[in-house]
Amino acid sequence: MPIALLASLAPLAAGTDGSGRRAQDLSGLEPVAPLVTDEILDQRRVDLGGKLFNDVRLSRGNAVSCASCHDLEQGGDDGRDRPTGTDGQPLEFNSPTVFNAARNFRLNWRGNYRTLEEQNEAVLLDPRLMGSRWDDLLAKLRADPGYAPAFNRIYSETASRESVLDALATFQRSLVTPHSRFDRFLAGERDAITPAEERGYRAFDAFGCIACHQGENLGGNLFQKFGIFATAFPSSKAVAEADLGRFAITGKAEDRHVFRVPSLRNVAATAPYLHDGRAASLDAAVKIMARNQLGRELPDGDVDLIVGFLRTLTGEYLGRPLVRETGPGPR
Amino acid sequence: MKPKRTVLLVIAGLLLGLTFLLVQSLTPDEALHERTLDALRSLDLDNAALQRDVLRAQAGLLRNYDPLVHALERLRHTGPILRESGRIAAGDGLPGMEREIDALIAVLHEQEELVEEFKSRNALLQNSLRIFGHVLGQLDGKGGVQIGTLANAMLRFSNDPQQAAATEVARALDRLRFRLVDPVSAPDLRLLVSHGLLIVVTLPAVDSIVARLQTSATTARTQAIQDSYLRAYGRATARAGLFRTLLYAAAVSLAAYAVHLFLRLRHNARILEQRLAFEGLIAGISTKFINLPLEGTAEGVKDGLASLAGHAGVDRARIVLKPAAEGDRVGHTYEWRRVGLPGEPDDTQDLLDIATGWHRAEGDLDGLVHVPSVDALPAGPDKARLAALGLRSWLSIPLGSTGKRLGWLMMESFALEKHWPGDDLALLRTAAEIFANAIERERSAGEREILTARLTEAQRLESLGTLAGGIAHEFNNVLGAILGHAELVLTLLEPTSTTRRHLLQIMRAGTRAQAIIDQILAFSRRRERQYRPTCADRVVAEAVDLLRASFPTTVTLRTHLATDGAAVLGDPTGLQQVVMNLCTNALHAMEQQGTIEICTERVVLAHDLRLSHGRLASGRYVRLAVRDTGHGIDVQTMERMFEPFFTTKSVGRGTGLGLSTVHGIVAAHGGALNVRSRPGAGSTFEAYFPQTDQPAAREEDLAAAPVRRGRGETILVVDDEMQLVLLGEEMLAAQGYEPVGFDSVAAAMVAFRAEPQRFDLVLADENMPEMTGTEFAAQLHRLRPELPIVLMTGHLRAIDAARGEAAGVREVLKKPLRTQPLAACLARHLNARDG
């Protein structure tokens, strides 16, 4: 594979002079791409889905809504390491943000769902999550004078499993966050990010983070093992089922500890981090990822640079930048 | 209900069939076909793009996996589309097609897993290669020999990732480990080592994945499916073409059917129009008849025939009536003929014969004969006769019902054949009924006129009879006295005296007067008659014997008696009188010269029969016919000849009572008279008498057992007329009885009560002012039940036999009393008493 060799050895010859020029040179091959928002959605379905998304009646006992764990005011997740199930026990995984989830090639940490509809239904029916049953849920919706005409108007039928899931999924497809500063930078707005942040991006590239966190969503388009150069799961600690990653689903040995690479968009607003919420801050998360995935201990300076870059990835929803107003401490 | 359901079923079936054809002709679905072709194209394109991007990613030229993800996504989506397309393969091809599609989907799935693995590993590999190269660059010049060796080994390995090269890299890396203690270069070296080791492990794996992806069967599978699909599509298109042709054929046949229906509808509408016109015509004829005066009937019938024939386009239309009188074959005929139709010999008789003798198995047409085409008739006498008359078509419709056939309506075509539809025939029948009714009405009116005249005549005869009868009765009593006394005187006179000769002349004249009175009474039916079964032939023969003696030899009497002993319930004397009077009448009509035929025969009438003078109900009759060769009877005479005292003879030759007597006797027997005559050609008088089944009584010989004379028995004689009492007393005394006469019932009663045993027999008149003879007899009978009582009466009204018997009446004598019957009667009853 001579081409691969040439590409890999190119830095050997060229060195890393003028990273800005390099970015320009390789713009066609830039591993990251701005978030595109050209998808045309039926606004009526989006509105209906939004209403459903915030409706506690979708859960058993009208306890929680989708928004209970995916607070759209707060980065699209719940700000906790792991949410508590209806049984009072903590769940296995950190709540992933719902923003831009539609752009991921698989859903959830283990990527066990391909579509929002599948994933939504699983959450609605999971006894530890929303614990609903279609009969009850639909009965509630059909009895509601607000929903009945909306379903009739949009789907020409009373609320059904298909229409409820379609409305929810359509709403979630609308949850994209464009216009992050980095996107503006990529779009050619050179001063959208500070030089330090641009240096952070170069570091993000040079250290190899970008090998997995690439594409439109900076991740979310491939699986990767957690713990390449160092084990992420110390032998002292009992390995939870969640830690087994995709192995729990496929049963293949090579899928042990393999997870879906999460998107880094809005990452500053979605603390804490990693599948079990083990990293409370971005710094910690960057350090863990560098050690386990890249085989190096990053100096604090580089960590700060990278974190600085990551903060430029926070986009806007309904014209407002996402923020994490509460949560564990400043980064 | 039933037909409606059938029609609905047919329509539903038709719709189903057409829908089926339409659906079949629409497959393959064009939109699906386009989608399928798109899917097959994008399979190729996306697969090529995927392969290209994998190679670019492997070469580090592509560092973004989104294109791979999107290509995989698009490939995934072709699966369901192809599954749907696979259904195009009908029947046996379907499982094969589905297997191929399943295989392709499996290959795609396998390919997707490979790509996922490639992404994960290639991300690490590319990263490690970059880091490795980067660190090598940083160590450039200060790494020493080991670094150079490592770089060379890595270059060789990456060129050809064989196990030996891998081992060499591993060994070079191993040699660097001892330098890790160097605090300056340790982090870089550690990076170099760890990423170098990862490259050694991952590079062959990635190469192997890429190699496997390159050999993926996706393209081959896609090609196979495309081939199968296009084959199936070709077949489906051909099949759809066939169904389109069928659909076209169905449309064409439906259109043809619609045209057919339209034509039929138009045809029916025309027929309906014609029928309406025909109906209107017939209604018009009917209306015309309603308003037509009776005397215009014939004209109306002719007009009706003309319009019917004109409408139907036949050459001749006729109504032939059944003959009124027996013997005639053809009755009155109404006829319309096309102007210019050549006259032909009278064929009415022939056609009537054919119409009445028409027997063909063509359903019960109730006497209707329809010959639309004479040529088409099976060969036979009918065809020959019709053809001989020059007919092309012929229609004969009977008038009136089977039992009362009035005649026939005939429509004849000589030039063209004329076919009558069934409905028109029905309408023609209606028309025939209208004609029949009109003719019947006319006939009934005529008949009524005749009957009215006859009734008037009968009433006149009856009043005349009553008048004459009353007069005759009175004369009879007077005559009785005259004759009785003359008889008594005669016995007292010397046989040679001149007085006796004069007296005999008186008696002869009296007897003649009595005969006249008898005839008047007979005519007025006031005479007592004794009806009993009588052999007609014998009575007639006796009468003829009597006549022969008095008839001149210039007249031949010929008899033909053929009733074979048939009996009539009647009075032999009356019957004889009928024969004698008719023969006398005939003799007078012949001026003493010619032949008189006297015939008797049995006649059975199936229907009522109208005669010249009266009417007969159906039944069995004995007919007496007297035919002469005389001068005949003119019409005026015919009407009045049965009136009493009507005579055509010169004064002194006839009384004018002969025929009226015959009329009276025949009427009294429940019979009727028929006279046929033409002036100059003789006359035939026919008298009908009802035949009876009772055997004829033997004619006992009443001629003279010697009459017992009285032996002085006392006879009580009661009559309200003193003259007759005296006569009776004289007659009884002359016969040796002891008469005691009273002209009053009361006086007689007093005498009887005074000495009941004095009387041996009572002779009483029935008609007395104080009480009837019967009542008187009853009183006497209570006093002396064994006393014989004989009543006398000259009146028509018979004495009630039952009442008479209860009153002890033994016998009823006819007045005026004559010696001979009186003597016989007394002898009978007194002898009986003597024992």
Side-chain angles (χ1 to χ4, degrees):
Chain A
M1 47 184 292
I3 299 170
L5 178 82
L6 281 177
S8 62
L9 295 185
L12 279 176
T16 54
D17 55 334
S19 44
R21 189 175 59 82
R22 208 181 114 82
Q24 277 178 329
D25 287 349
L26 295 174
S27 60
L29 292 172
E30 200 68 48
V32 290
L35 198 56
V36 180
T37 56
D38 57 358
E39 195 174 8
I40 293 164
L41 299 170
D42 181 346
Q43 191 56 42
R44 296 177 309 166
R45 297 186 191 203
V46 171
D47 293 345
L48 178 62
K51 211 167 144 195
L52 290 169
F53 191 84
N54 286 292
D55 197 328
V56 293
R57 283 177 296 180
L58 263 57
S59 67
R60 188 182 58 211
N62 303 340
V64 291
S65 70
C66 304
S68 302
C69 290
H70 300 284
D71 187 349
L72 301 184
E73 302 292 322
Q74 308 250 337
D77 67 349
D78 57 358
R80 303 167 55 175
D81 52 356
R82 278 178 288 167
T84 307
T86 50
D87 55 359
Q89 297 298 311
L91 296 170
E92 287 97 344
F93 291 100
N94 171 263
S95 303
T97 178
V98 71
F99 283 114
N100 306 319
R103 303 298 175 95
N104 293 335
F105 87 130
R106 299 287 205 284
L107 298 167
N108 282 5
W109 284 100
R110 293 181 291 189
N112 46 347
Y113 299 109
R114 282 181 183 270
T115 64
L116 285 168
E117 286 85 349
E118 284 174 54
Q119 191 269 349
N120 281 195
E121 184 174 31
V123 171
L124 282 171
L125 303 184
D126 189 326
R128 292 188 69 197
L129 298 176
M130 297 184 78
S132 231
R133 289 193 356 202
W134 279 118
D135 293 351
D136 304 338
L137 194 162
L138 294 177
K140 286 188 221 170
L141 295 184
R142 285 170 188 162
D144 185 290
Y147 283 119
F151 275 103
N152 252 325
R153 198 169 55 245
I154 300 167
Y155 297 100
S156 308
E157 59 171 30
T158 52
S160 66
R161 171 178 169 272
E162 288 71 25
S163 53
V164 168
L165 289 176
D166 180 74
L168 282 171
T170 307
F171 172 66
Q172 287 164 51
R173 282 191 196 101
S174 77
L175 299 179
V176 290
T177 59
H179 310 313
S180 67
R181 288 194 290 129
F182 183 65
D183 281 338
R184 281 151 54 198
F185 170 75
L186 284 179
E189 199 178 329
R190 305 305 305 181
D191 52 358
I193 58 175
T194 63
E197 286 163 344
E198 191 176 347
R199 282 210 306 284
Y201 172 52
R202 298 301 158 207
F204 182 79
D205 185 2
F207 286 130
C209 308
I210 208 163
C212 289
H213 295 285
Q214 35 62 44
E216 181 186 39
N217 238 3
L218 288 96
N221 60 0
L222 79 163
F223 296 114
Q224 195 53 275
K225 186 174 177 177
F226 184 30
I228 301 288
F229 294 96
T231 176
F233 304 99
S235 53
S236 59
K237 184 186 164 217
V239 177
E241 190 196 317
D243 298 336
L244 294 174
R246 282 181 63 73
F247 175 73
I249 294 161
T250 65
K252 293 182 187 165
E254 62 264 32
D255 282 338
R256 186 174 281 263
H257 304 314
V258 169
F259 296 87
R260 176 186 61 97
V261 173
S263 161
L264 291 184
R265 289 199 173 272
N266 307 313
V267 69
T270 60
Y273 305 105
L274 303 188
H275 72 280
D276 48 3
R278 63 173 71 177
S281 67
L282 269 178
D283 301 38
V286 169
K287 282 179 179 164
I288 289 171
M289 290 311 286
R291 184 186 311 124
N292 289 330
Q293 303 302 96
L294 299 171
R296 50 170 116 195
E297 298 290 336
L298 280 190
D300 286 350
D302 287 337
V303 170
D304 286 346
L305 277 178
I306 289 174
V307 167
F309 159 67
L310 291 179
R311 288 186 192 283
T312 68
L313 293 175
T314 303
E316 292 176 353
Y317 174 60
L318 301 180
R320 283 190 297 136
L322 298 190
V323 282
R324 164 69 64 195
E325 285 172 357
T326 56
R331 328 269 109 100
Chain B
M1 193 63 225
K2 266 271 154 65
K4 200 174 169 189
R5 261 183 57 185
T6 314
V7 165
L8 282 180
L9 279 178
V10 166
I11 289 176
L14 206 60
L15 279 178
L16 270 179
L18 287 176
T19 311
F20 173 77
L21 285 181
L22 179 69
V23 168
Q24 291 296 324
S25 68
L26 285 182
T27 49
D29 179 351
E30 276 307 312
L32 178 61
H33 180 56
E34 287 303 318
R35 275 209 305 282
T36 307
L37 291 183
D38 273 351
L40 287 168
R41 256 196 307 276
S42 78
L43 255 176
D44 273 340
L45 289 176
D46 290 329
N47 192 43
L50 184 71
Q51 298 285 358
R52 183 198 65 206
D53 288 341
V54 163
L55 289 176
R56 284 171 68 208
Q58 188 196 12
L61 296 175
L62 179 68
R63 297 173 63 200
N64 177 344
Y65 295 127
D66 285 350
L68 293 177
V69 168
H70 294 150
L72 282 177
E73 194 63 26
R74 283 196 297 272
L75 286 174
R76 268 179 69 80
H77 281 144
T78 56
I81 295 173
L82 287 181
R83 268 189 208 286
E84 202 184 337
S85 317
R87 293 203 314 263
I88 199 173
D92 302 340
L94 191 58
M97 190 89 179
E98 280 179 343
R99 263 200 310 281
E100 281 181 10
I101 292 164
D102 285 344
L104 173 67
I105 289 169
V107 166
L108 287 176
H109 184 70
E110 196 183 325
Q111 177 170 298
E112 184 180 77
E113 295 208 326
L114 280 174
V115 172
E116 290 303 334
E117 195 181 347
F118 168 78
K119 286 191 305 187
S120 303
R121 290 187 183 261
N122 194 52
L124 295 178
L125 175 65
Q126 295 303 322
N127 184 49
S128 291
L129 284 171
R130 281 185 71 204
I131 305 274
F132 191 80
H134 185 67
V135 173
L136 272 184
Q138 283 186 338
L139 292 175
D140 192 24
K142 50 191 175 179
V145 181
Q146 288 94 342
I147 299 299
T149 313
L150 177 63
N152 285 334
M154 187 56 85
L155 193 59
R156 267 199 304 279
F157 174 69
S158 56
N159 265 331
D160 183 16
Q162 293 300 315
Q163 188 56 43
T167 315
E168 201 179 321
V169 173
R171 203 177 296 133
L173 288 172
D174 207 33
R175 278 199 289 272
L176 282 176
R177 287 181 192 277
F178 74 95
R179 289 180 57 179
L180 292 178
V181 294
D182 179 359
V184 182
S185 59
D188 284 347
L189 288 178
R190 202 176 290 121
L191 263 182
L192 206 59
V193 170
S194 55
H195 285 277
L197 283 174
L198 191 135
I199 290 168
V200 168
V201 173
T202 315
L203 184 68
V206 169
D207 279 1
S208 144
I209 290 169
V210 170
R212 281 169 67 193
L213 276 173
Q214 297 289 313
T215 59
S216 157
T218 310
T219 312
R221 292 279 179 204
T222 307
Q223 194 58 48
I225 286 176
Q226 185 166 336
D227 291 348
S228 306
Y229 172 78
L230 288 179
R231 265 200 308 278
Y233 180 77
R235 280 197 299 271
T237 311
R239 194 157 155 272
L242 175 68
F243 278 109
R244 268 198 296 279
T245 311
L246 286 178
L247 198 62
Y248 174 73
V252 166
S253 34
L254 280 178
Y257 187 58
V259 168
H260 167 72
L261 284 183
F262 172 75
L263 290 178
R264 231 171 70 180
L265 196 70
R266 213 173 56 174
H267 178 67
N268 287 349
R270 278 193 188 149
I271 286 179
L272 212 60
E273 245 170 51
Q274 286 170 5
R275 179 137 325 129
L276 275 177
F278 199 26
E279 275 176 23
L281 186 75
I282 286 167
I285 292 173
S286 172
T287 315
K288 210 163 150 193
F289 275 120
I290 288 170
N291 299 324
L292 205 62
L294 276 176
E295 55 272 22
T297 303
E299 206 52 44
V301 169
K302 273 183 191 164
D303 286 352
L305 283 178
S307 44
L308 271 186
H311 177 86
V314 297
D315 298 317
R316 187 164 66 175
R318 286 192 289 181
I319 287 178
V320 180
L321 295 184
K322 213 175 167 183
E326 264 181 74
D328 298 351
R329 294 298 311 269
V330 179
H332 188 65
T333 302
Y334 302 90
E335 182 178 293
W336 173 90
R337 58 171 59 216
R338 182 180 297 289
V339 177
L341 190 69
E344 66 287 306
D346 184 25
D347 50 8
T348 317
Q349 188 57 56
D350 271 353
L351 289 177
L352 266 189
D353 286 348
I354 298 174
T356 47
W358 193 269
H359 292 298
R360 281 184 201 286
E362 284 167 26
D364 182 20
L365 291 172
D366 194 21
L368 184 142
V369 181
H370 180 206
V371 183
S373 164
V374 173
D375 291 345
L377 273 183
D382 286 342
K383 181 177 183 170
R385 290 166 79 179
L386 288 174
L389 295 174
L391 285 170
R392 297 291 304 277
S393 287
W394 184 53
L395 176 70
S396 161
I397 296 176
L399 302 184
S401 57
T402 316
K404 287 175 64 186
R405 184 70 76 229
L406 196 62
W408 289 266
L409 167 65
M410 295 184 186
M411 297 290 209
E412 298 154 28
S413 298
F414 296 95
L416 295 167
E417 290 185 355
K418 167 76 183 170
H419 183 269
W420 299 85
D423 293 315
D424 280 3
L425 284 183
L427 287 172
L428 268 184
R429 272 183 191 273
T430 311
E433 281 307 308
I434 292 167
F435 289 137
N437 288 339
I439 292 167
E440 189 74 50
R441 194 167 63 130
E442 190 197 25
R443 273 197 182 178
S444 325
E447 227 162 86
R448 196 164 55 240
E449 227 166 73
I450 293 170
L451 284 177
T452 312
R454 198 159 293 151
L455 180 66
T456 316
E457 189 195 338
Q459 283 169 343
R460 203 168 66 229
L461 284 179
E462 191 171 352
S463 54
L464 266 173
T466 309
L467 176 67
I471 296 166
H473 179 71
E474 292 302 322
F475 270 111
N476 202 23
N477 284 341
V478 175
L479 200 58
I482 294 169
L483 281 174
H485 285 288
E487 225 172 355
L488 287 174
V489 172
L490 205 57
T491 57
L492 301 177
L493 290 177
E494 290 297 319
T496 53
S497 74
T498 315
T499 317
R500 182 184 163 89
R501 197 160 43 86
H502 289 301
L503 199 58
L504 280 174
Q505 283 303 321
I506 292 171
M507 282 189 69
R508 205 167 291 135
T511 307
R512 219 179 138 232
Q514 196 167 27
I516 292 170
I517 287 170
D518 264 358
Q519 288 196 4
I520 296 172
L521 286 174
F523 156 72
S524 65
R525 295 186 233 167
R526 294 187 67 169
R527 204 166 63 186
E528 251 344 85
R529 288 185 197 285
Q530 291 186 323
Y531 289 136
R532 56 170 186 266
T534 308
C535 177
D537 285 358
R538 197 162 63 203
V539 171
V540 174
E542 283 173 12
V544 173
D545 282 346
L546 289 175
L547 284 168
R548 273 191 212 283
S550 59
F551 270 34
T553 50
T554 50
V555 170
T556 313
L557 269 178
R558 202 176 289 155
T559 55
H560 178 69
L561 308 180
T563 63
D564 194 18
V568 297
L569 196 60
D571 170 21
T573 318
L575 294 178
Q576 277 188 359
Q577 200 166 3
V578 168
V579 177
M580 294 169 86
N581 287 8
L582 286 177
C583 288
T584 308
N585 194 60
L587 179 66
H588 291 156
M590 289 194 302
E591 312 293 352
Q592 311 293 317
Q593 202 152 15
T595 304
I596 299 175
E597 269 184 85
I598 301 149
C599 309
T600 58
E601 59 183 322
R602 295 180 188 220
V603 175
V604 178
L605 295 181
H607 310 294
D608 289 6
L609 185 63
R610 204 147 48 85
L611 304 174
S612 68
H613 293 79
R615 196 179 186 96
L616 280 182
S618 57
R620 294 183 301 138
Y621 293 90
V622 169
R623 178 167 66 191
L624 165 70
V626 176
R627 188 172 299 124
D628 64 56
T629 54
H631 49 60
I633 305 164
D634 59 38
V635 175
Q636 289 78 24
T637 310
M638 186 79 96
E639 273 177 15
R640 298 191 60 194
M641 64 188 172
F642 290 109
E643 282 180 23
F645 310 116
F646 176 83
T647 181
T648 55
K649 297 164 194 163
S650 52
V651 176
R653 283 197 63 189
T655 55
L657 282 171
L659 284 181
S660 54
T661 303
V662 166
H663 184 268
I665 291 169
V666 171
H669 280 79
L673 283 162
N674 192 34
V675 183
R676 285 183 287 155
S677 177
R678 280 213 304 275
S683 314
T684 304
F685 283 75
E686 292 171 332
Y688 289 81
F689 298 97
Q691 192 187 330
T692 179
D693 287 334
Q694 301 171 33
R698 285 192 65 83
E699 199 72 41
E700 72 263 48
D701 205 344
L702 294 174
V707 174
R708 174 194 185 276
R709 283 188 57 84
R711 297 173 202 145
E713 290 96 339
T714 310
I715 310 289
L716 177 62
V717 180
V718 187
D719 199 321
D720 56 328
E721 270 185 70
M722 198 54 213
Q723 212 177 6
L724 291 181
V725 174
L726 292 177
L727 175 62
E729 282 178 343
E730 291 287 349
M731 286 172 104
L732 289 170
Q735 290 181 30
Y737 297 99
E738 180 63 45
V740 179
F742 295 94
D743 64 350
S744 136
V745 175
M749 208 58 210
V750 169
F752 189 81
R753 279 185 206 282
E755 202 174 349
Q757 298 302 325
R758 178 182 164 200
F759 302 104
D760 296 303
L761 189 142
V762 178
L763 184 62
D765 188 24
E766 169 67 9
N767 300 316
M768 291 183 294
E770 292 148 291
M771 62 172 66
T772 65
T774 311
E775 288 164 346
F776 176 60
Q779 291 192 9
L780 298 183
H781 189 61
R782 272 199 295 280
L783 295 172
R784 270 192 68 192
E786 84 285 357
L787 180 70
I789 303 170
V790 173
L791 293 183
M792 308 172 283
T793 180
H795 281 273
L796 174 73
R797 189 156 51 82
I799 294 162
D800 189 321
R803 275 183 61 201
E805 201 176 320
V809 175
R810 298 287 174 84
E811 194 172 337
V812 180
L813 284 176
K814 197 182 113 195
K815 282 168 85 175
L817 284 177
R818 303 294 300 271
T819 307
Q820 198 62 14
L822 176 64
C825 172
L826 294 178
R828 269 199 296 279
H829 298 294
L830 292 172
N831 275 351
R833 195 195 60 176
D834 294 346

